[in-house]
Amino acid sequence: MCPQRPDGFTGKNESKRDSQAAGGEFIRPKKSLGQNFLNDTRVVQDILCAAELGENDAVIEVGPGLGAMTGKLAEQAGFVAAVEIDTALIPALKKLEERCGNLAVINRDILKTDVRKDIIEGFFLPRGLGGSVKVVANLPYYITTPIVMKFLEENSADIDSLVIMVQKEVAERMTADPGGKDYGAMTVTVNYFSEPEIMFTVPPHCFYPRPGVDSAVVRLKMRKEPPFELISRDHFFLTVRAAFSQRRKTLTNALANAPYMNVTREKVAEVLAKMGKDVMVRGERLSPAEFGQLSNLLIK
Ligand code: SAM
């Protein structure tokens, strides 16, 4: 049976001091590393429920912090690799690692980690795991987008799902419908790789220290097959980027103004006509599949 947290951390009395005890030491949360530690066991339980873990699952936890979720993840999964950048948190996490037996604490920047080589091949495959890799994390909000994009773009074939705590507004962008203010490049990209779903929202008082924003747990279930055929994935993502980098402009102008698209207004207008779209349409009106069609027709 794996303990829930490293030594010393109780999560209680957080209002009475400005630092948390972990491994017998006092830890002052570092704002620069996005350290808002979960302080509510019900939220941890709900995240575990959303992750639907089993003994054949291999879990990557980004930023275990004080270990609010780590021990519970190890109880339910086959193996957990927990990647934490903050060296000050490592001694307590290493104690937890010793006790769990199926946990590896890796002191590294997730953005500089080769997930396939260093985690999946290094820890999961030798243990007969790796068929079902799940990312479970209360993400550091200052780098949410690069972390999510890294997993989607580099590891989409390896990962089964991501169950992640993000800012509520980021969760709303991931799950937005075309036409609204939240719909953008992130929505299209996330939907290309996965089926996103907001599981529940989490108020600031469930963290220590309290973040200045509401949070939400979102589940990105990775697609086994792409949702539509693309001639060039790179061209598709450039098209999406160009469309939303000037979202107040018409799609025709936004694409023609982007030097890396190398396309004329006339060509965009011709393709939009073929798609049955108004030449004045803005990018935010196109569904992800329509962006795919647009990209394919621009290449042809
Ligand atoms: N999982 C813990 C919890 O729920 O209480 C901590 C979550 S806290 C929001 C984010 C954690 O990510 C912190 O422990 C922070 O040090 C860590 N972190 C920040 N940047 C990181 C990076 N580039 N790579 C790995 N971990 C990082």
Side-chain angles (χ1 to χ4, degrees):
M1 188 82 144
C2 190
Q4 236 189 77
R5 293 180 179 211
D7 283 350
F9 179 70
T10 63
K12 288 181 188 147
N13 300 328
E14 55 100 359
S15 59
K16 295 197 183 113
R17 57 173 188 255
D18 65 354
S19 58
Q20 295 274 1
E25 305 149 54
F26 283 95
I27 300 288
R28 178 158 297 187
K30 297 184 180 79
K31 209 175 169 184
S32 62
L33 292 179
Q35 291 182 351
N36 298 99
F37 300 115
L38 262 174
N39 199 19
D40 187 319
T41 49
R42 280 164 309 179
V43 175
V44 172
Q45 212 44 56
D46 289 347
I47 292 172
L48 288 159
C49 239
E52 296 179 336
L53 299 177
E55 60 188 19
N56 293 324
D57 290 326
V59 170
I60 300 172
E61 185 186 12
V62 179
L66 297 164
M69 297 199 287
T70 316
K72 283 283 176 199
L73 290 170
E75 270 180 20
Q76 296 189 5
F79 195 85
V80 177
V83 183
E84 173 58 60
I85 197 171
D86 188 357
T87 308
L89 302 176
I90 298 302
L93 289 166
K94 283 287 179 188
K95 285 187 189 165
L96 185 63
E97 181 186 79
E98 274 168 30
R99 274 176 275 147
C100 283
N102 63 340
L103 166 67
V105 173
I106 304 166
N107 186 195
R108 207 176 288 173
D109 179 344
I110 188 66
L111 295 177
K112 294 184 183 153
T113 302
D114 183 334
V115 170
R116 173 79 208 168
K117 191 164 138 291
D118 298 340
I119 300 182
I120 297 175
E121 290 174 12
F123 291 101
F124 298 161
L125 296 181
R127 291 171 171 84
L129 300 167
S132 175
V133 177
K134 295 180 174 176
V135 176
V136 185
N138 170 17
L139 288 180
Y141 292 171
Y142 75 109
I143 44 169
T144 299
T145 304
I147 293 176
V148 173
M149 290 309 154
K150 176 183 168 68
F151 280 114
L152 295 183
E153 288 169 0
E154 293 175 20
N155 306 105
S156 59
D158 294 319
I159 306 263
D160 172 79
S161 63
L162 293 92
V163 172
I164 46 177
M165 179 91 72
V166 297
Q167 279 185 48
K168 188 167 162 239
E169 66 175 48
V170 173
E172 285 166 351
R173 274 194 265 144
M174 287 176 174
T175 54
D177 289 325
K181 69 171 174 40
D182 293 329
Y183 185 76
M186 174 181 271
T187 325
V188 177
T189 307
V190 164
N191 278 271
Y192 177 75
F193 288 109
S194 72
E195 292 173 85
E197 185 185 354
I198 295 180
M199 307 304 290
F200 52 92
T201 56
V202 183
H205 67 77
C206 296
F207 302 86
Y208 178 79
R210 297 179 182 198
V213 291
D214 280 331
S215 303
V217 171
V218 63
R219 179 166 64 198
L220 309 183
K221 182 80 183 154
M222 299 301 283
R223 296 182 189 277
K224 301 266 175 272
E225 300 292 335
F228 40 83
E229 292 302 320
L230 291 174
I231 295 173
S232 161
R233 201 196 257 192
D234 287 348
H235 186 272
F236 168 71
F237 287 118
L238 286 179
T239 307
V240 172
R241 185 175 129 198
F244 289 106
S245 64
Q246 294 188 301
R247 61 184 295 148
R248 308 293 311 156
K249 291 205 165 23
T250 64
L251 195 51
T252 311
N253 281 337
L255 298 192
N257 287 350
Y260 50 84
M261 289 304 296
N262 197 20
V263 70
T264 61
R265 273 179 188 72
E266 292 69 32
K267 176 71 179 173
V268 181
E270 179 198 315
V271 164
L272 286 175
K274 267 192 204 154
M275 292 172 62
K277 296 284 174 193
D278 192 301
V279 71
M280 298 302 284
V281 74
R282 288 198 185 139
E284 66 203 35
R285 293 273 156 202
L286 265 60
S287 69
E290 287 171 333
F291 269 109
Q293 194 187 357
L294 173 67
S295 164
N296 289 345
L297 287 170
L298 285 174
I299 291 173
K300 274 180 191 161

